[in-house]
Amino acid sequence: MRKCSGMENIMNEYIISCCSTADLSAEHFNKRGISYICFHYELDGVQYSDDLGKSMPFEKFYQAMSDGADTKTSQINVAEFTEYFEPFLKEGKDILHLSLSSGISGVVNSAMTAKNSLEEQYPDRKIYIVDSLAASSGYGLLMDKLADLRDEGMSVDALYHWAMDNRLRLNHWFFSTDLTFYIRGGRISKTSGFIGGMLNICPLLNVDHLGKLIPRYKIRTKRKVIHTIVDKMEECLEEGCAYHGKCYISHSACYEDARAVADLIEERFPHLDGKVLINNIGTTIGAHTGPGTVAVFFWGKERVD
């Protein structure tokens, strides 16, 4: 199995780890010392690794989807997790691994099974598995915060509890200007999709407290949904426009729309921790959203529904 890992900069007695579905760049993962393992997908029957655009550029992937290519995804299995985790344990390192939301994928179960087996072989090592209840670059924003806390000296035990206590503070809001793949995946009915297309409706969705994707609003026109998603961000922030945390955006082949949202966010929230970071929605999640999706992630009020 080909391991996808950002191991080079890890200097601690434990490693923090996630799946490629955290949708950060390989350079970002490496710089922050975050290890990762890759999901898989098929494009017209050919298997690929969801390796952050290395084997297939994102533009090519989304163009193939627009041209009608068939896509399927598969999660990481127990054997792959075992092969991925074991070298860290042999090096004497403990592991904190966050999985893609259980509301989207069952991959956390595979990670837990591998953990249970490896703990018998390495009884002196700690393996923590956390259901992130997050996806895409929201999952990535959570991992970035864990890297900050690790670098400040937090122990693996304390970091595990911090992740469990704060994961629902990570807010996800996203919209799509192309309903094709939401209809195909059953998230939007064919009738609603047809009417939505006729009326130029862009659905606004979020991720709930169970880590599931929930349609919330039907917004007419792209211009209005771009402004509405920024309004929802302000509404979900404890500090309002005084927000001083980070904000990440991910998109699927619609950078201009993502940039328009980022510009509005940077204007409305002048105390952001740096500029808005724009990432690509990776091939695993993108295989279900298709092109035309923009997602915004930030630290806010705890998700309760």
Side-chain angles (χ1 to χ4, degrees):
M1 183 194 76
R2 180 170 177 258
K3 183 188 295 184
C4 297
S5 173
M7 296 172 56
E8 291 79 1
N9 295 329
I10 295 174
M11 302 294 291
N12 303 82
E13 70 277 9
Y14 65 89
I15 66 107
I16 58 174
S17 168
C18 62
C19 306
S20 57
T21 46
D23 288 350
L24 299 178
S25 68
E27 293 76 17
H28 193 136
F29 281 129
N30 287 329
K31 181 179 179 181
R32 296 311 317 271
I34 300 170
S35 297
Y36 60 94
I37 182 171
C38 298
F39 268 64
H40 321 281
Y41 69 96
E42 289 185 12
L43 189 66
D44 280 340
V46 179
Q47 292 190 352
Y48 298 90
S49 173
D50 178 11
D51 56 4
L52 313 180
K54 293 178 185 177
S55 58
M56 178 175 293
F58 296 117
E59 296 81 1
K60 183 177 179 181
F61 173 78
Y62 286 114
Q63 185 61 55
M65 290 190 74
S66 295
D67 293 340
D70 183 51
T71 57
K72 296 180 181 178
T73 60
S74 58
Q75 65 188 39
I76 303 152
N77 62 37
V78 175
E80 290 172 314
F81 270 120
T82 301
E83 184 179 348
Y84 168 69
F85 287 149
E86 192 163 22
F88 300 124
L89 302 173
K90 286 182 176 179
E91 292 171 7
K93 295 181 183 293
D94 297 325
I95 297 170
L96 173 61
H97 177 81
L98 275 71
S99 77
L100 176 64
S101 172
S102 60
I104 297 173
S105 167
V107 70
V108 66
N109 299 318
S110 297
M112 286 296 298
T113 301
K115 158 194 160 70
N116 293 337
S117 175
L118 288 167
E119 282 181 332
E120 295 181 2
Q121 301 176 51
Y122 299 89
D124 295 331
R125 299 269 58 83
K126 299 174 182 176
I127 307 172
Y128 289 116
I129 306 296
V130 175
D131 177 358
S132 73
L133 299 176
S136 194
S137 295
Y139 182 12
L141 182 55
L142 177 55
M143 293 306 303
D144 206 55
K145 180 62 177 179
L146 296 183
D148 289 340
L149 296 172
R150 176 206 60 200
D151 292 348
E152 292 170 8
M154 186 174 285
S155 71
V156 68
D157 307 88
L159 196 59
Y160 164 74
H161 290 294
W162 191 96
M164 292 295 292
D165 291 342
N166 290 275
R167 57 187 174 168
L168 289 178
R169 291 183 49 239
L170 202 290
N171 283 243
H172 311 55
W173 283 91
F174 59 103
F175 66 81
S176 179
T177 57
D178 184 345
L179 305 183
T180 304
F181 296 92
Y182 289 84
I183 297 169
R184 184 179 297 179
R187 299 192 186 281
I188 296 175
S189 70
K190 290 183 179 180
T191 301
S192 295
F194 175 77
I195 295 173
M198 292 289 291
L199 297 178
N200 198 19
I201 288 174
C202 303
L204 184 61
L205 308 89
N206 77 343
V207 173
D208 71 2
H209 67 296
L210 299 177
K212 296 181 179 181
L213 310 182
I214 307 295
R216 298 293 187 181
Y217 306 99
K218 297 176 181 178
I219 310 297
R220 194 168 182 181
T221 77
K222 179 168 67 175
R223 181 180 180 279
K224 187 172 181 180
V225 79
I226 285 174
H227 283 81
T228 301
I229 199 170
V230 181
D231 292 339
K232 293 306 297 183
M233 177 176 173
E234 181 178 351
E235 183 180 314
C236 293
L237 291 170
E238 294 179 343
E239 314 97 313
C241 292
Y243 178 64
H244 57 274
K246 292 182 179 179
C247 178
Y248 285 0
I249 289 177
S250 59
H251 72 96
S252 53
C254 52
Y255 176 82
E256 292 78 10
D257 294 341
R259 184 67 259 170
V261 174
D263 289 344
L264 287 175
I265 289 173
E266 288 172 358
E267 179 181 355
R268 188 174 303 187
F269 307 101
H271 305 291
L272 283 176
D273 182 0
K275 295 290 187 180
V276 174
L277 179 65
I278 300 178
N279 300 295
N280 291 287
I281 294 176
T283 48
T284 295
I285 296 174
H288 300 281
T289 68
T293 292
V294 174
V296 177
F297 312 100
F298 53 90
W299 292 100
K301 299 172 185 175
E302 184 170 305
R303 290 177 269 154
V304 294
D305 59 12

